[in-house]
Amino acid sequence: MSAVSPFHIAIPVHNLAECRTFYKEVLGCEEGRSSDHWVDFNFFGHQLVIHYKAKEDIGETIHNAVDGKAVPVPHYGVVLPWETFQTFSADLKSKNIEFIIEPYIRFEGQIGEQATMFFKDPAGNALEFKAFKDMDQLFAK
């Protein structure tokens, strides 16, 4: 696989205005098209759409153990270049993001070693951002 095509993901949010502010101002995503029920964002080169859905209609998050941590499922995010991850995680810390899993090195010294962090948007959607010093480790077994 040589070129990566942008993905499209649509997620439910119960507060469109609060999440619009979060994705624009906290994560730095550029806003695209929108209506009174949804908003498109350029999510690190991918298309993320937040759609209004009443809070009582949104399911609960479960957790699976990965590298000794309780990883929220479902979650979504982006694999960033190593240096970008370091800068981005520092920026999030300066904005007092409440992490589910603080930035750390997962599988240290093993196949698939990566930097990772988890946090939620204001609607409770879990996000993971990660980075590999060696991108060949992305799908390594």
Side-chain angles (χ1 to χ4, degrees):
M1 183 167 48
S2 58
V4 176
S5 296
F7 68 74
H8 164 83
I9 186 169
I11 60 168
V13 300
H14 61 273
N15 185 322
L16 202 61
E18 187 177 21
C19 288
R20 173 184 252 153
T21 299
F22 175 82
Y23 283 96
K24 283 172 62 173
E25 295 180 14
V26 176
L27 298 188
C29 298
E30 182 181 338
E31 185 175 324
R33 296 177 303 278
S34 67
S35 82
D36 56 351
H37 294 311
W38 56 268
V39 182
D40 278 352
F41 290 100
N42 177 344
F43 186 72
F44 300 84
H46 304 281
Q47 186 186 41
L48 169 70
V49 186
I50 58 173
H51 285 269
Y52 174 78
K53 186 172 186 179
K55 189 172 187 174
E56 59 272 9
D57 294 336
I58 298 174
E60 291 200 29
T61 302
I62 62 166
H63 294 84
N64 285 329
V66 178
D67 194 36
K69 308 275 189 206
V71 171
V73 178
H75 66 264
Y76 65 95
V78 176
V79 178
L80 300 171
W82 189 264
E83 297 76 20
T84 303
F85 179 93
Q86 303 306 322
T87 303
F88 186 55
S89 63
D91 182 56
L92 292 174
K93 286 180 181 181
S94 76
K95 293 176 178 173
N96 297 314
I97 286 296
E98 184 177 327
F99 291 96
I100 299 168
I101 299 174
E102 294 271 342
Y104 84 108
I105 305 301
R106 177 191 285 163
F107 308 132
E108 192 164 8
Q110 302 174 46
I111 294 172
E113 180 177 347
Q114 60 196 260
T116 187
M117 63 181 157
F118 287 83
F119 55 93
K120 290 184 178 181
D121 73 8
N125 295 297
L127 293 93
E128 177 186 18
F129 287 87
K130 61 172 65 179
F132 295 82
K133 283 185 180 176
D134 177 3
M135 281 301 292
D136 289 338
Q137 292 290 299
L138 183 62
F139 297 109
K141 293 182 181 180

